[in-house]
Amino acid sequence: MTAPARRFDETARGRFARVGTTRVHRGELLRHPVYTRFLHWSVAIFFILALLTGFAIYTPWLYRWITPLFGGGPRTRLLHPWFGLIFEVFFFLQFLNWLTPMAWTAADRRWLKKLRGYATNEERLESEDVGFFNGGQKIYFWLIVLSALLFLITGILMWFDHVAGRWLVVVSYVVHDLAALLMFAGFVVHVYEGTAHQPGTFGSMINGTVTDRWAWTHHPAWYRVVTGRDPRQAYEHEKRRQLERERAIDDWESKQTPPDAL
Amino acid sequence: MSNPRTFQIQEISAHPGPVPGQGTRREDAVCKYIDVTTCIGCKACEVACVEWNDHPFRETTFNDTYQTMPTTEWNYYNLIKFVEDERDGNLMWLLRKDQCMHCEDPGCLRACPADGAIIKYENGIVDFQQDNCIGCGYCISGCPFDIPKFHPKTNKVYKCTMCSDRVGEGLEPACIKACPTGCLKFGTKSDMVQIAGLRARQLREESGFKDAGVYDPPSIKGTHVIYVLHDIKQPERYGLPANPIIPPSYTYWKWLAKPIGLWMGLLGVGAVFFHRVFYGAKLPQPEEGEIRTGPSEEIEAARKEKR
């Protein structure tokens, strides 16, 4: 990343940190600062708006359901490229913000090989070399980078079709669709991973914090970097602590008179 | 437009012999016949079109030819193209009336994403309904003849309507009516094709145009505007595509791949839901109060041993 870009990103991060707050409690770690959260949700909102308006134009079967949401056919068509353009701007800023942690490493190649096990929840703990982002997250990021470029190029060609000419429009039509389908698939998986599949993750992008248990489970290498502690040892310690607590409770329980049977 | 077939007689009581006229059908399809060999370039058809459609007159463009402007416009549906064609050292001045071809398989209609913005009537006329148009411009890239044009202010697209309002009342289009030489004719498709065939043969046998023929391209299933050309083998000389096609984006991709893509997306959402139901969540470890999970411990242990 070029020096001016880095400076811009750091300045933005500083400014947003002064305006917003992230409250970190005991047993929690700071994961996503204010700037990241702002960018993520701005990208998400404009992506969804572009996706919806795009879907209306994509197929006649969705046209009549979606166009009323945006105020009719012509307005939907008018809004779509603007939503897309704003998405591009915010995503570009997010690209600068996350370029460093998204760099592809050997650990990510190893993570990919175990993708099947990840999907079937074979192991409870991620392998110890998983850093701030795992291989799957990085793949999604780079696929968005590719798709954003394709969207921008084909989108501009179709927006200025009188300049682009017939055959460029016709090819852009298909490529824009392909990028959209790819992004939709990724979006579905992304929302799933961020909500139902990994509890605690949605909170990380709303409040900016995660529990240390979440951290040593899903991103052990990052936990080590942030806390200086070994993730597996911390996990074992917590397991023993839990066992102790349960034993103490059972002990206390055995000394009580049971509640009266009805 | 009234349908005369509703009052065609089907059965007659106590009538000896068959019902008169049974099995006959009025042909619905209309067609414009344009004989470029007898066009004199008077532009009466251009004026008639502007007048009938009540468009404001446009500024003309002088480009060293008699052509009124380079291409059709939102308020100029019909344009005589003047081509100075050089061949074997001889010069031929080709005059061709350019307007919407009202294709039997219209590329504009196939490309359009807006419900009801483009309709094709049973008689073959392809009409734009500007009220439903969203201004996306896909029709422009779908048309093999570069006909539909944007209105810069309203962002709607316009083209020749074959005077569907006149045709609906049993009249011929305005351009046909205005033509002084009789090179423009209007009637049913089969009648116009027949006349065109006779004229082309006349050109070949009596006028020395050995390659004269009728332009009615089968690649878009024929058109409801047909030309008699001096040279059917090289329609490009007249500015006509030899093999006009609809881009596959608006046929195979739009009607086959798009729905498949959408269904895959929807099934994907379902799959993701069931994934959660089957495999559960990845909870932060250790989980509190967990007792058992998945298959029984013996099976789990056996699985671990096998690995």
Side-chain angles (χ1 to χ4, degrees), chain A residues 58 77 118-119 121 124 166 170 177 192 196-197 213 216-217 242, chain B residues 134-135 141 143 245 249 253 258 275-276 279-280 282 285-287 290:
Chain A
Y58 172 78
R77 174 255 181 269
Y118 177 87
N121 282 5
R124 304 290 189 92
R166 189 176 179 221
V170 154
D177 275 359
Y192 173 53
H197 198 218
R213 287 198 299 150
W216 70 56
T217 304
Q242 215 173 75
Chain B
I134 65 173
S141 51
C143 175
I245 51 152
S249 310
W253 179 259
K258 274 188 194 258
H275 180 274
R276 174 63 176 85
Y279 293 111
K282 284 189 193 292
Q285 299 297 314
E287 293 168 37
E290 187 180 329

PDB file of all heavy atoms in Angstrom, chain A residues 58 77 118-119 121 124 166 170 177 192 196-197 213 216-217 242, chain B residues 134-135 141 143 245 249 253 258 275-276 279-280 282 285-287 290:
ATOM      1  N   TYR A  58     -32.784  -7.715 -13.031  1.00  0.00           N
ATOM      2  CA  TYR A  58     -32.169  -8.986 -13.404  1.00  0.00           C
ATOM      3  C   TYR A  58     -33.171  -9.949 -14.016  1.00  0.00           C
ATOM      4  O   TYR A  58     -32.881 -10.618 -15.007  1.00  0.00           O
ATOM      5  CB  TYR A  58     -31.538  -9.590 -12.147  1.00  0.00           C
ATOM      6  CG  TYR A  58     -31.005 -10.991 -12.252  1.00  0.00           C
ATOM      7  CD1 TYR A  58     -29.782 -11.237 -12.860  1.00  0.00           C
ATOM      8  CD2 TYR A  58     -31.696 -12.065 -11.707  1.00  0.00           C
ATOM      9  CE1 TYR A  58     -29.269 -12.520 -12.925  1.00  0.00           C
ATOM     10  CE2 TYR A  58     -31.181 -13.348 -11.780  1.00  0.00           C
ATOM     11  CZ  TYR A  58     -29.975 -13.578 -12.375  1.00  0.00           C
ATOM     12  OH  TYR A  58     -29.478 -14.838 -12.437  1.00  0.00           O
ATOM     13  N   ARG A  77     -34.278   1.826 -11.798  1.00  0.00           N
ATOM     14  CA  ARG A  77     -33.181   1.818 -12.756  1.00  0.00           C
ATOM     15  C   ARG A  77     -32.259   3.005 -12.528  1.00  0.00           C
ATOM     16  O   ARG A  77     -31.054   2.929 -12.684  1.00  0.00           O
ATOM     17  CB  ARG A  77     -33.747   1.866 -14.187  1.00  0.00           C
ATOM     18  CG  ARG A  77     -32.685   2.013 -15.256  1.00  0.00           C
ATOM     19  CD  ARG A  77     -32.668   3.428 -15.796  1.00  0.00           C
ATOM     20  NE  ARG A  77     -31.674   3.588 -16.832  1.00  0.00           N
ATOM     21  CZ  ARG A  77     -30.427   3.972 -16.626  1.00  0.00           C
ATOM     22  NH1 ARG A  77     -30.025   4.234 -15.403  1.00  0.00           N
ATOM     23  NH2 ARG A  77     -29.596   4.097 -17.625  1.00  0.00           N
ATOM     24  N   TYR A 118     -14.124 -27.982   8.315  1.00  0.00           N
ATOM     25  CA  TYR A 118     -14.665 -26.729   8.857  1.00  0.00           C
ATOM     26  C   TYR A 118     -16.172 -26.688   8.662  1.00  0.00           C
ATOM     27  O   TYR A 118     -16.912 -26.337   9.570  1.00  0.00           O
ATOM     28  CB  TYR A 118     -14.002 -25.553   8.142  1.00  0.00           C
ATOM     29  CG  TYR A 118     -14.522 -24.197   8.554  1.00  0.00           C
ATOM     30  CD1 TYR A 118     -13.981 -23.528   9.645  1.00  0.00           C
ATOM     31  CD2 TYR A 118     -15.552 -23.585   7.855  1.00  0.00           C
ATOM     32  CE1 TYR A 118     -14.454 -22.284  10.024  1.00  0.00           C
ATOM     33  CE2 TYR A 118     -16.029 -22.352   8.227  1.00  0.00           C
ATOM     34  CZ  TYR A 118     -15.473 -21.703   9.312  1.00  0.00           C
ATOM     35  OH  TYR A 118     -15.951 -20.475   9.681  1.00  0.00           O
ATOM     36  N   ALA A 119     -16.616 -27.110   7.477  1.00  0.00           N
ATOM     37  CA  ALA A 119     -18.037 -27.029   7.165  1.00  0.00           C
ATOM     38  C   ALA A 119     -18.856 -28.018   7.992  1.00  0.00           C
ATOM     39  O   ALA A 119     -19.991 -27.729   8.345  1.00  0.00           O
ATOM     40  CB  ALA A 119     -18.266 -27.283   5.679  1.00  0.00           C
ATOM     41  N   ASN A 121     -18.131 -28.992  10.972  1.00  0.00           N
ATOM     42  CA  ASN A 121     -17.889 -28.789  12.412  1.00  0.00           C
ATOM     43  C   ASN A 121     -17.183 -29.962  13.064  1.00  0.00           C
ATOM     44  O   ASN A 121     -17.497 -30.356  14.181  1.00  0.00           O
ATOM     45  CB  ASN A 121     -19.213 -28.525  13.150  1.00  0.00           C
ATOM     46  CG  ASN A 121     -19.690 -27.112  12.949  1.00  0.00           C
ATOM     47  OD1 ASN A 121     -19.099 -26.361  12.195  1.00  0.00           O
ATOM     48  ND2 ASN A 121     -20.748 -26.762  13.633  1.00  0.00           N
ATOM     49  N   ARG A 124     -13.733 -28.494  17.163  1.00  0.00           N
ATOM     50  CA  ARG A 124     -14.346 -27.367  17.861  1.00  0.00           C
ATOM     51  C   ARG A 124     -13.459 -26.144  17.836  1.00  0.00           C
ATOM     52  O   ARG A 124     -13.925 -25.019  17.864  1.00  0.00           O
ATOM     53  CB  ARG A 124     -14.609 -27.744  19.321  1.00  0.00           C
ATOM     54  CG  ARG A 124     -15.439 -28.966  19.502  1.00  0.00           C
ATOM     55  CD  ARG A 124     -16.884 -28.711  19.077  1.00  0.00           C
ATOM     56  NE  ARG A 124     -17.719 -29.838  19.451  1.00  0.00           N
ATOM     57  CZ  ARG A 124     -18.376 -29.917  20.612  1.00  0.00           C
ATOM     58  NH1 ARG A 124     -18.321 -28.927  21.481  1.00  0.00           N
ATOM     59  NH2 ARG A 124     -19.092 -30.986  20.888  1.00  0.00           N
ATOM     60  N   ARG A 166     -22.631  -1.336 -28.845  1.00  0.00           N
ATOM     61  CA  ARG A 166     -23.517  -2.482 -28.686  1.00  0.00           C
ATOM     62  C   ARG A 166     -22.852  -3.690 -28.050  1.00  0.00           C
ATOM     63  O   ARG A 166     -23.369  -4.244 -27.073  1.00  0.00           O
ATOM     64  CB  ARG A 166     -24.057  -2.838 -30.054  1.00  0.00           C
ATOM     65  CG  ARG A 166     -25.137  -3.844 -30.022  1.00  0.00           C
ATOM     66  CD  ARG A 166     -25.696  -4.081 -31.403  1.00  0.00           C
ATOM     67  NE  ARG A 166     -26.721  -5.097 -31.303  1.00  0.00           N
ATOM     68  CZ  ARG A 166     -26.901  -6.080 -32.180  1.00  0.00           C
ATOM     69  NH1 ARG A 166     -26.132  -6.160 -33.229  1.00  0.00           N
ATOM     70  NH2 ARG A 166     -27.856  -6.956 -31.994  1.00  0.00           N
ATOM     71  N   VAL A 170     -23.466  -5.701 -24.443  1.00  0.00           N
ATOM     72  CA  VAL A 170     -23.990  -7.062 -24.457  1.00  0.00           C
ATOM     73  C   VAL A 170     -23.127  -7.990 -23.603  1.00  0.00           C
ATOM     74  O   VAL A 170     -23.638  -8.824 -22.859  1.00  0.00           O
ATOM     75  CB  VAL A 170     -24.076  -7.515 -25.932  1.00  0.00           C
ATOM     76  CG1 VAL A 170     -23.988  -8.998 -26.046  1.00  0.00           C
ATOM     77  CG2 VAL A 170     -25.339  -6.994 -26.560  1.00  0.00           C
ATOM     78  N   ASP A 177     -23.914  -9.796 -14.362  1.00  0.00           N
ATOM     79  CA  ASP A 177     -24.769 -10.825 -13.756  1.00  0.00           C
ATOM     80  C   ASP A 177     -23.946 -11.880 -13.037  1.00  0.00           C
ATOM     81  O   ASP A 177     -24.288 -12.312 -11.927  1.00  0.00           O
ATOM     82  CB  ASP A 177     -25.585 -11.536 -14.843  1.00  0.00           C
ATOM     83  CG  ASP A 177     -26.853 -10.793 -15.188  1.00  0.00           C
ATOM     84  OD1 ASP A 177     -27.095  -9.744 -14.579  1.00  0.00           O
ATOM     85  OD2 ASP A 177     -27.581 -11.266 -16.073  1.00  0.00           O
ATOM     86  N   TYR A 192     -24.539 -15.939   7.098  1.00  0.00           N
ATOM     87  CA  TYR A 192     -24.697 -17.145   7.916  1.00  0.00           C
ATOM     88  C   TYR A 192     -23.573 -17.251   8.929  1.00  0.00           C
ATOM     89  O   TYR A 192     -23.798 -17.411  10.130  1.00  0.00           O
ATOM     90  CB  TYR A 192     -24.731 -18.362   6.992  1.00  0.00           C
ATOM     91  CG  TYR A 192     -24.727 -19.701   7.691  1.00  0.00           C
ATOM     92  CD1 TYR A 192     -25.648 -19.998   8.679  1.00  0.00           C
ATOM     93  CD2 TYR A 192     -23.813 -20.682   7.328  1.00  0.00           C
ATOM     94  CE1 TYR A 192     -25.653 -21.239   9.297  1.00  0.00           C
ATOM     95  CE2 TYR A 192     -23.811 -21.923   7.943  1.00  0.00           C
ATOM     96  CZ  TYR A 192     -24.735 -22.197   8.922  1.00  0.00           C
ATOM     97  OH  TYR A 192     -24.737 -23.420   9.525  1.00  0.00           O
ATOM     98  N   ALA A 196     -25.864 -16.952  12.517  1.00  0.00           N
ATOM     99  CA  ALA A 196     -26.278 -18.228  13.111  1.00  0.00           C
ATOM    100  C   ALA A 196     -25.131 -19.199  13.328  1.00  0.00           C
ATOM    101  O   ALA A 196     -25.147 -19.977  14.280  1.00  0.00           O
ATOM    102  CB  ALA A 196     -27.339 -18.877  12.239  1.00  0.00           C
ATOM    103  N   HIS A 197     -24.134 -19.189  12.444  1.00  0.00           N
ATOM    104  CA  HIS A 197     -23.139 -20.250  12.519  1.00  0.00           C
ATOM    105  C   HIS A 197     -22.077 -19.997  13.586  1.00  0.00           C
ATOM    106  O   HIS A 197     -21.534 -20.934  14.157  1.00  0.00           O
ATOM    107  CB  HIS A 197     -22.464 -20.440  11.156  1.00  0.00           C
ATOM    108  CG  HIS A 197     -21.765 -21.748  11.006  1.00  0.00           C
ATOM    109  ND1 HIS A 197     -20.576 -21.887  10.342  1.00  0.00           N
ATOM    110  CD2 HIS A 197     -22.085 -22.976  11.450  1.00  0.00           C
ATOM    111  CE1 HIS A 197     -20.191 -23.153  10.381  1.00  0.00           C
ATOM    112  NE2 HIS A 197     -21.099 -23.832  11.045  1.00  0.00           N
ATOM    113  N   ARG A 213     -12.908 -16.172  24.915  1.00  0.00           N
ATOM    114  CA  ARG A 213     -13.205 -17.563  24.509  1.00  0.00           C
ATOM    115  C   ARG A 213     -13.443 -17.628  23.001  1.00  0.00           C
ATOM    116  O   ARG A 213     -12.989 -18.541  22.314  1.00  0.00           O
ATOM    117  CB  ARG A 213     -14.432 -18.080  25.255  1.00  0.00           C
ATOM    118  CG  ARG A 213     -14.130 -18.367  26.722  1.00  0.00           C
ATOM    119  CD  ARG A 213     -15.173 -19.248  27.330  1.00  0.00           C
ATOM    120  NE  ARG A 213     -16.488 -18.623  27.280  1.00  0.00           N
ATOM    121  CZ  ARG A 213     -17.630 -19.299  27.186  1.00  0.00           C
ATOM    122  NH1 ARG A 213     -17.614 -20.617  27.139  1.00  0.00           N
ATOM    123  NH2 ARG A 213     -18.770 -18.667  27.156  1.00  0.00           N
ATOM    124  N   TRP A 216      -9.898 -17.348  21.315  1.00  0.00           N
ATOM    125  CA  TRP A 216      -9.000 -18.514  21.248  1.00  0.00           C
ATOM    126  C   TRP A 216      -9.617 -19.684  20.509  1.00  0.00           C
ATOM    127  O   TRP A 216      -8.929 -20.582  20.084  1.00  0.00           O
ATOM    128  CB  TRP A 216      -8.461 -18.904  22.631  1.00  0.00           C
ATOM    129  CG  TRP A 216      -9.430 -19.498  23.601  1.00  0.00           C
ATOM    130  CD1 TRP A 216     -10.234 -20.597  23.441  1.00  0.00           C
ATOM    131  CD2 TRP A 216      -9.660 -19.039  24.937  1.00  0.00           C
ATOM    132  NE1 TRP A 216     -10.957 -20.838  24.567  1.00  0.00           N
ATOM    133  CE2 TRP A 216     -10.633 -19.915  25.506  1.00  0.00           C
ATOM    134  CE3 TRP A 216      -9.147 -17.988  25.709  1.00  0.00           C
ATOM    135  CZ2 TRP A 216     -11.094 -19.741  26.819  1.00  0.00           C
ATOM    136  CZ3 TRP A 216      -9.610 -17.834  27.011  1.00  0.00           C
ATOM    137  CH2 TRP A 216     -10.577 -18.709  27.559  1.00  0.00           C
ATOM    138  N   THR A 217     -10.969 -19.663  20.342  1.00  0.00           N
ATOM    139  CA  THR A 217     -11.627 -20.717  19.574  1.00  0.00           C
ATOM    140  C   THR A 217     -11.441 -20.500  18.075  1.00  0.00           C
ATOM    141  O   THR A 217     -11.074 -21.414  17.343  1.00  0.00           O
ATOM    142  CB  THR A 217     -13.129 -20.753  19.894  1.00  0.00           C
ATOM    143  OG1 THR A 217     -13.311 -20.914  21.293  1.00  0.00           O
ATOM    144  CG2 THR A 217     -13.814 -21.868  19.131  1.00  0.00           C
ATOM    145  N   GLN A 242     -14.166 -24.293  34.571  1.00  0.00           N
ATOM    146  CA  GLN A 242     -15.575 -24.648  34.419  1.00  0.00           C
ATOM    147  C   GLN A 242     -15.886 -25.915  35.189  1.00  0.00           C
ATOM    148  O   GLN A 242     -16.904 -26.012  35.885  1.00  0.00           O
ATOM    149  CB  GLN A 242     -15.877 -24.852  32.936  1.00  0.00           C
ATOM    150  CG  GLN A 242     -17.253 -24.411  32.527  1.00  0.00           C
ATOM    151  CD  GLN A 242     -17.403 -24.477  31.022  1.00  0.00           C
ATOM    152  OE1 GLN A 242     -17.538 -25.545  30.451  1.00  0.00           O
ATOM    153  NE2 GLN A 242     -17.360 -23.319  30.396  1.00  0.00           N
TER     154      GLN A 242
ATOM    155  N   ILE B 134     -38.297   1.943 -18.475  1.00  0.00           N
ATOM    156  CA  ILE B 134     -37.504   2.430 -17.337  1.00  0.00           C
ATOM    157  C   ILE B 134     -36.228   3.129 -17.791  1.00  0.00           C
ATOM    158  O   ILE B 134     -35.450   3.602 -16.975  1.00  0.00           O
ATOM    159  CB  ILE B 134     -37.141   1.289 -16.356  1.00  0.00           C
ATOM    160  CG1 ILE B 134     -36.221   0.259 -17.011  1.00  0.00           C
ATOM    161  CG2 ILE B 134     -38.392   0.667 -15.795  1.00  0.00           C
ATOM    162  CD1 ILE B 134     -35.695  -0.783 -16.029  1.00  0.00           C
ATOM    163  N   GLY B 135     -36.002   3.180 -19.107  1.00  0.00           N
ATOM    164  CA  GLY B 135     -34.854   3.923 -19.616  1.00  0.00           C
ATOM    165  C   GLY B 135     -33.514   3.231 -19.445  1.00  0.00           C
ATOM    166  O   GLY B 135     -32.495   3.885 -19.309  1.00  0.00           O
ATOM    167  N   SER B 141     -29.131  -2.050 -27.431  1.00  0.00           N
ATOM    168  CA  SER B 141     -28.099  -3.041 -27.729  1.00  0.00           C
ATOM    169  C   SER B 141     -28.698  -4.342 -28.237  1.00  0.00           C
ATOM    170  O   SER B 141     -28.023  -5.127 -28.871  1.00  0.00           O
ATOM    171  CB  SER B 141     -27.229  -3.301 -26.500  1.00  0.00           C
ATOM    172  OG  SER B 141     -28.022  -3.589 -25.378  1.00  0.00           O
ATOM    173  N   CYS B 143     -31.144  -4.449 -30.508  1.00  0.00           N
ATOM    174  CA  CYS B 143     -31.594  -4.258 -31.895  1.00  0.00           C
ATOM    175  C   CYS B 143     -30.439  -4.458 -32.868  1.00  0.00           C
ATOM    176  O   CYS B 143     -29.408  -3.792 -32.731  1.00  0.00           O
ATOM    177  CB  CYS B 143     -32.157  -2.857 -32.069  1.00  0.00           C
ATOM    178  SG  CYS B 143     -32.600  -2.471 -33.771  1.00  0.00           S
ATOM    179  N   ILE B 245     -28.690 -10.691 -35.919  1.00  0.00           N
ATOM    180  CA  ILE B 245     -28.993 -11.637 -34.837  1.00  0.00           C
ATOM    181  C   ILE B 245     -29.258 -10.881 -33.540  1.00  0.00           C
ATOM    182  O   ILE B 245     -28.838  -9.739 -33.371  1.00  0.00           O
ATOM    183  CB  ILE B 245     -27.825 -12.617 -34.575  1.00  0.00           C
ATOM    184  CG1 ILE B 245     -26.511 -11.853 -34.392  1.00  0.00           C
ATOM    185  CG2 ILE B 245     -27.718 -13.669 -35.638  1.00  0.00           C
ATOM    186  CD1 ILE B 245     -25.533 -12.586 -33.529  1.00  0.00           C
ATOM    187  N   SER B 249     -26.835 -12.902 -25.114  1.00  0.00           N
ATOM    188  CA  SER B 249     -27.094 -12.418 -23.746  1.00  0.00           C
ATOM    189  C   SER B 249     -28.586 -12.268 -23.503  1.00  0.00           C
ATOM    190  O   SER B 249     -29.064 -12.488 -22.396  1.00  0.00           O
ATOM    191  CB  SER B 249     -26.448 -11.048 -23.536  1.00  0.00           C
ATOM    192  OG  SER B 249     -25.124 -11.063 -23.929  1.00  0.00           O
ATOM    193  N   TRP B 253     -28.749 -16.456 -22.194  1.00  0.00           N
ATOM    194  CA  TRP B 253     -28.405 -16.018 -20.839  1.00  0.00           C
ATOM    195  C   TRP B 253     -29.650 -15.581 -20.082  1.00  0.00           C
ATOM    196  O   TRP B 253     -29.908 -16.009 -18.966  1.00  0.00           O
ATOM    197  CB  TRP B 253     -27.372 -14.883 -20.880  1.00  0.00           C
ATOM    198  CG  TRP B 253     -27.026 -14.420 -19.517  1.00  0.00           C
ATOM    199  CD1 TRP B 253     -27.490 -13.303 -18.884  1.00  0.00           C
ATOM    200  CD2 TRP B 253     -26.207 -15.097 -18.572  1.00  0.00           C
ATOM    201  NE1 TRP B 253     -26.997 -13.242 -17.606  1.00  0.00           N
ATOM    202  CE2 TRP B 253     -26.205 -14.327 -17.392  1.00  0.00           C
ATOM    203  CE3 TRP B 253     -25.471 -16.277 -18.595  1.00  0.00           C
ATOM    204  CZ2 TRP B 253     -25.490 -14.686 -16.250  1.00  0.00           C
ATOM    205  CZ3 TRP B 253     -24.762 -16.641 -17.461  1.00  0.00           C
ATOM    206  CH2 TRP B 253     -24.781 -15.854 -16.313  1.00  0.00           C
ATOM    207  N   LYS B 258     -30.194 -17.030 -16.264  1.00  0.00           N
ATOM    208  CA  LYS B 258     -30.636 -16.180 -15.159  1.00  0.00           C
ATOM    209  C   LYS B 258     -31.557 -16.904 -14.186  1.00  0.00           C
ATOM    210  O   LYS B 258     -31.320 -16.877 -12.980  1.00  0.00           O
ATOM    211  CB  LYS B 258     -31.346 -14.935 -15.706  1.00  0.00           C
ATOM    212  CG  LYS B 258     -30.433 -13.784 -16.064  1.00  0.00           C
ATOM    213  CD  LYS B 258     -31.296 -12.592 -16.397  1.00  0.00           C
ATOM    214  CE  LYS B 258     -30.579 -11.489 -17.080  1.00  0.00           C
ATOM    215  NZ  LYS B 258     -30.267 -10.377 -16.164  1.00  0.00           N
ATOM    216  N   HIS B 275     -27.995 -26.391   6.906  1.00  0.00           N
ATOM    217  CA  HIS B 275     -26.657 -26.647   7.435  1.00  0.00           C
ATOM    218  C   HIS B 275     -26.629 -26.351   8.929  1.00  0.00           C
ATOM    219  O   HIS B 275     -26.069 -27.118   9.724  1.00  0.00           O
ATOM    220  CB  HIS B 275     -25.629 -25.788   6.696  1.00  0.00           C
ATOM    221  CG  HIS B 275     -24.232 -25.984   7.170  1.00  0.00           C
ATOM    222  ND1 HIS B 275     -23.701 -25.297   8.236  1.00  0.00           N
ATOM    223  CD2 HIS B 275     -23.258 -26.816   6.733  1.00  0.00           C
ATOM    224  CE1 HIS B 275     -22.455 -25.692   8.443  1.00  0.00           C
ATOM    225  NE2 HIS B 275     -22.161 -26.606   7.548  1.00  0.00           N
ATOM    226  N   ARG B 276     -27.220 -25.252   9.303  1.00  0.00           N
ATOM    227  CA  ARG B 276     -27.253 -24.865  10.720  1.00  0.00           C
ATOM    228  C   ARG B 276     -28.020 -25.888  11.540  1.00  0.00           C
ATOM    229  O   ARG B 276     -27.601 -26.273  12.640  1.00  0.00           O
ATOM    230  CB  ARG B 276     -27.895 -23.479  10.846  1.00  0.00           C
ATOM    231  CG  ARG B 276     -28.137 -22.990  12.274  1.00  0.00           C
ATOM    232  CD  ARG B 276     -26.836 -22.831  13.050  1.00  0.00           C
ATOM    233  NE  ARG B 276     -27.076 -22.272  14.369  1.00  0.00           N
ATOM    234  CZ  ARG B 276     -27.414 -22.984  15.431  1.00  0.00           C
ATOM    235  NH1 ARG B 276     -27.577 -24.310  15.329  1.00  0.00           N
ATOM    236  NH2 ARG B 276     -27.623 -22.387  16.587  1.00  0.00           N
ATOM    237  N   TYR B 279     -25.694 -29.241  11.526  1.00  0.00           N
ATOM    238  CA  TYR B 279     -24.357 -29.238  12.121  1.00  0.00           C
ATOM    239  C   TYR B 279     -24.232 -28.366  13.355  1.00  0.00           C
ATOM    240  O   TYR B 279     -23.221 -28.403  14.022  1.00  0.00           O
ATOM    241  CB  TYR B 279     -23.325 -28.798  11.081  1.00  0.00           C
ATOM    242  CG  TYR B 279     -23.161 -29.798   9.963  1.00  0.00           C
ATOM    243  CD1 TYR B 279     -23.597 -29.514   8.680  1.00  0.00           C
ATOM    244  CD2 TYR B 279     -22.588 -31.035  10.201  1.00  0.00           C
ATOM    245  CE1 TYR B 279     -23.453 -30.426   7.664  1.00  0.00           C
ATOM    246  CE2 TYR B 279     -22.443 -31.962   9.190  1.00  0.00           C
ATOM    247  CZ  TYR B 279     -22.878 -31.656   7.925  1.00  0.00           C
ATOM    248  OH  TYR B 279     -22.731 -32.560   6.924  1.00  0.00           O
ATOM    249  N   GLY B 280     -25.235 -27.560  13.644  1.00  0.00           N
ATOM    250  CA  GLY B 280     -25.155 -26.720  14.828  1.00  0.00           C
ATOM    251  C   GLY B 280     -24.201 -25.558  14.632  1.00  0.00           C
ATOM    252  O   GLY B 280     -23.637 -25.364  13.562  1.00  0.00           O
ATOM    253  N   LYS B 282     -20.860 -23.005  15.671  1.00  0.00           N
ATOM    254  CA  LYS B 282     -19.498 -23.094  16.209  1.00  0.00           C
ATOM    255  C   LYS B 282     -19.450 -22.167  17.419  1.00  0.00           C
ATOM    256  O   LYS B 282     -19.174 -20.985  17.314  1.00  0.00           O
ATOM    257  CB  LYS B 282     -18.506 -22.606  15.153  1.00  0.00           C
ATOM    258  CG  LYS B 282     -18.246 -23.581  14.040  1.00  0.00           C
ATOM    259  CD  LYS B 282     -17.096 -23.035  13.211  1.00  0.00           C
ATOM    260  CE  LYS B 282     -16.921 -23.738  11.899  1.00  0.00           C
ATOM    261  NZ  LYS B 282     -16.462 -25.116  12.033  1.00  0.00           N
ATOM    262  N   GLN B 285     -15.347 -22.071  22.715  1.00  0.00           N
ATOM    263  CA  GLN B 285     -15.028 -23.208  23.588  1.00  0.00           C
ATOM    264  C   GLN B 285     -14.400 -22.734  24.884  1.00  0.00           C
ATOM    265  O   GLN B 285     -13.658 -21.750  24.877  1.00  0.00           O
ATOM    266  CB  GLN B 285     -14.070 -24.139  22.845  1.00  0.00           C
ATOM    267  CG  GLN B 285     -14.658 -24.694  21.559  1.00  0.00           C
ATOM    268  CD  GLN B 285     -15.866 -25.554  21.803  1.00  0.00           C
ATOM    269  OE1 GLN B 285     -15.863 -26.406  22.683  1.00  0.00           O
ATOM    270  NE2 GLN B 285     -16.908 -25.292  21.033  1.00  0.00           N
ATOM    271  N   PRO B 286     -14.562 -23.421  26.000  1.00  0.00           N
ATOM    272  CA  PRO B 286     -15.403 -24.609  26.145  1.00  0.00           C
ATOM    273  C   PRO B 286     -16.879 -24.230  26.322  1.00  0.00           C
ATOM    274  O   PRO B 286     -17.185 -23.176  26.859  1.00  0.00           O
ATOM    275  CB  PRO B 286     -14.867 -25.262  27.416  1.00  0.00           C
ATOM    276  CG  PRO B 286     -14.313 -24.128  28.209  1.00  0.00           C
ATOM    277  CD  PRO B 286     -13.828 -23.105  27.225  1.00  0.00           C
ATOM    278  N   GLU B 287     -17.791 -25.100  25.876  1.00  0.00           N
ATOM    279  CA  GLU B 287     -19.219 -24.807  26.002  1.00  0.00           C
ATOM    280  C   GLU B 287     -19.661 -25.154  27.409  1.00  0.00           C
ATOM    281  O   GLU B 287     -19.307 -26.202  27.950  1.00  0.00           O
ATOM    282  CB  GLU B 287     -20.011 -25.638  25.001  1.00  0.00           C
ATOM    283  CG  GLU B 287     -19.717 -25.239  23.564  1.00  0.00           C
ATOM    284  CD  GLU B 287     -20.276 -26.246  22.576  1.00  0.00           C
ATOM    285  OE1 GLU B 287     -21.377 -26.759  22.853  1.00  0.00           O
ATOM    286  OE2 GLU B 287     -19.619 -26.522  21.574  1.00  0.00           O
ATOM    287  N   GLU B 290     -22.298 -28.686  28.684  1.00  0.00           N
ATOM    288  CA  GLU B 290     -22.589 -29.637  27.605  1.00  0.00           C
ATOM    289  C   GLU B 290     -22.509 -31.060  28.131  1.00  0.00           C
ATOM    290  O   GLU B 290     -21.605 -31.408  28.857  1.00  0.00           O
ATOM    291  CB  GLU B 290     -21.576 -29.458  26.473  1.00  0.00           C
ATOM    292  CG  GLU B 290     -21.938 -30.294  25.258  1.00  0.00           C
ATOM    293  CD  GLU B 290     -20.933 -30.121  24.156  1.00  0.00           C
ATOM    294  OE1 GLU B 290     -20.362 -29.025  24.067  1.00  0.00           O
ATOM    295  OE2 GLU B 290     -20.727 -31.083  23.411  1.00  0.00           O
TER     296      GLU B 290
END
